[in-house]
Amino acid sequence: MSDAEAVINEIEGYLLWEAEKERARTRADAFCAGLPWLTDTQRREVERRYCQDQHGATQAYLERIAARSASLRAEYDGAYRALRRRLIVACLSGSVAVAILVALGAVGLTAH
């Protein structure tokens, strides 16, 4: 990965995380709207804890996705290497077979 791609990935990750934080704040606000008896101080505390909990859950979720993604990449890379080896072996075997048939055909033509 080039430096430019790494920077773009970093920016994208930052923007996605900021969007997730905003979604958590919006959900916290909606949650607190259903609790009209809260004082302003209690409301801010509930919103803060709600966002904190959402951030923790999101972080854990993203870590699980990243781990699974790395696992799948390794699995698919291994399968790709195995298929590539099989294809190369098949092509080489076919080439050798054709070369043998050509050689046998040439020997047969010169024998007559």
Side-chain angles (χ1 to χ4, degrees):
M1 180 183 310
S2 72
D3 288 343
E5 290 172 324
V7 168
I8 290 170
N9 283 342
E10 195 71 27
I11 291 169
E12 181 183 23
Y14 173 79
L15 293 174
L16 289 170
W17 184 250
E18 288 301 310
E20 179 55 33
K21 285 170 39 179
E22 183 57 36
R23 278 191 294 278
R25 281 190 289 271
T26 301
R27 288 190 303 263
D29 187 50
F31 178 78
C32 287
L35 307 171
W37 59 86
L38 293 176
T39 66
D40 288 343
T41 303
Q42 290 170 330
R43 180 184 177 91
R44 282 191 300 276
E45 180 63 16
V46 169
E47 287 175 349
R48 185 189 68 75
R49 287 182 182 224
Y50 187 98
C51 287
Q52 187 177 28
D53 183 63
Q54 285 295 302
H55 293 158
T58 298
Q59 184 73 30
Y61 179 68
L62 292 174
E63 288 171 0
R64 284 192 308 274
I65 289 172
R68 180 65 178 142
S69 177
S71 170
L72 286 173
R73 178 179 298 274
E75 183 180 331
Y76 291 150
D77 283 348
Y80 172 75
R81 281 192 297 279
L83 288 172
R84 187 175 56 193
R85 276 192 304 271
R86 287 174 53 194
L87 180 61
I88 290 170
V89 167
C91 288
L92 289 175
S93 298
S95 297
V96 168
V98 168
I100 290 171
L101 289 175
V102 168
L104 289 176
V107 168
L109 289 176
T110 58
H112 287 261

